Amino acid sequence: EVQLVESGGGLVQPGGSLRLSCAASGFTFSSYWMSWVRQAPGKGLEWVANIKQDGSEKYYVDSVKGRFTISRDNAKNSLYLQMNSLRAEDTAVYYCARGPAYCGGDCYYVYWGQGTLVTVSS
Amino acid sequence: AIRMTQSPSSFSASTGDRVTITCRASQGISSYLAWYQQKPGKAPKLLIYAASTLQSGVPSRFSGSGSGTDFTLTISCLQSEDFATYYCQQYYSYPPLTFGGGTKVEIK
């Protein structure tokens, strides 16, 4: 059974940093593109970033470029999102997500984690 | 970025109703469209991909249609468990992948 479990969310002051993790199990992690998708309270879904199987390609939504870094450790079956210079508008539930087997970076998402809440506030 | 516009943003319906949600892309996306269902406090659930292909395990009362810029999600006979928010997502052109703003289906 595919499982994605996020952790690392919490309350952080504006300008602060936070590192999210996503522990993957039930599939060969190193074979899949992985993504982060977020949802601000009461709002819709927003794709944040994704990363190729070997980490050689990474893409970001414009609003987080230069502030967020996606990475992965295939030996640990883990996905990460390092978030720096956080702003109030980054407040959201952050989901780790995976597409189907044949997908590249441009895909839909079959599997989602339960999400971790990041709150940016003073 | 391709902008996805859903309509309506919310509406009320009764169990047994046939409901249709519309999603429009700001430019042609062929059939690279997915639909998700999300319930409060839960992660989204994939319903349909490639505009009209039902994800495994999803009830057949859900169907999708369209190509190019205009798409619809239809629930043929609304059940109590279908009251939720629905999102479309294009995966034709990225970055960024983009979602519609959502359509909330409420109980009348």
Side-chain angles (χ1 to χ4, degrees):
Chain A
E1 177 193 6
V2 172
Q3 285 200 328
L4 300 169
V5 180
E6 302 93 338
S7 60
L11 175 64
V12 60
Q13 292 188 338
S17 298
L18 211 56
R19 188 196 197 205
L20 306 184
S21 299
C22 171
S25 60
F27 64 102
T28 304
F29 180 74
S30 60
S31 296
Y32 293 85
W33 280 79
M34 295 297 297
S35 299
W36 289 99
V37 177
R38 68 183 178 183
Q39 186 170 36
K43 303 297 184 182
L45 300 166
E46 180 182 38
W47 174 82
V48 174
N50 65 3
I51 184 169
K52 194 176 180 180
Q53 289 91 329
D54 61 359
S56 61
E57 294 182 37
K58 305 176 184 182
Y59 300 95
Y60 301 90
V61 67
D62 282 350
S63 59
V64 308
K65 281 181 184 174
R67 301 188 299 121
F68 289 13
T69 301
I70 189 171
S71 63
R72 63 192 296 162
D73 185 335
N74 288 340
K76 295 184 177 180
N77 292 334
S78 292
L79 176 72
Y80 305 103
L81 187 67
Q82 177 66 44
M83 304 185 295
N84 298 331
S85 303
L86 281 161
R87 306 167 180 167
E89 55 264 35
D90 296 318
T91 294
V93 173
Y94 285 73
Y95 294 102
C96 168
R98 197 211 89 179
Y102 49 85
C103 263
D106 49 347
C107 203
Y108 52 92
Y109 299 110
V110 181
Y111 299 102
W112 298 69
Q114 86 289 350
T116 188
L117 176 62
V118 172
T119 303
V120 184
S121 174
S122 54
Chain B
I2 297 176
R3 185 174 66 255
M4 307 301 293
T5 304
Q6 287 183 234
S7 61
S9 57
S10 67
F11 66 95
S12 299
S14 300
T15 303
D17 285 352
R18 178 183 180 90
V19 303
T20 298
I21 297 168
T22 297
C23 177
R24 175 165 290 175
S26 61
Q27 64 187 75
I29 59 169
S30 186
S31 296
Y32 292 90
L33 185 100
W35 288 98
Y36 301 88
Q37 176 193 67
Q38 188 180 34
K39 297 182 179 179
K42 300 295 186 182
K45 173 187 174 182
L46 177 68
L47 298 176
I48 287 169
Y49 61 94
S52 61
T53 302
L54 203 64
Q55 170 66 7
S56 175
V58 174
S60 58
R61 63 180 179 273
F62 291 92
S63 64
S65 65
S67 66
T69 60
D70 295 315
F71 302 86
T72 59
L73 172 70
T74 299
I75 309 172
S76 60
C77 183
L78 200 63
Q79 302 297 300
S80 58
E81 60 266 33
D82 301 335
F83 292 98
T85 300
Y86 294 85
Y87 295 93
C88 61
Q89 178 222 333
Q90 68 81 20
Y91 52 101
Y92 175 79
S93 173
Y94 106 112
L97 296 168
T98 48
F99 292 86
T103 297
K104 186 174 183 180
V105 180
E106 299 176 296
I107 300 173
K108 183 180 288 184

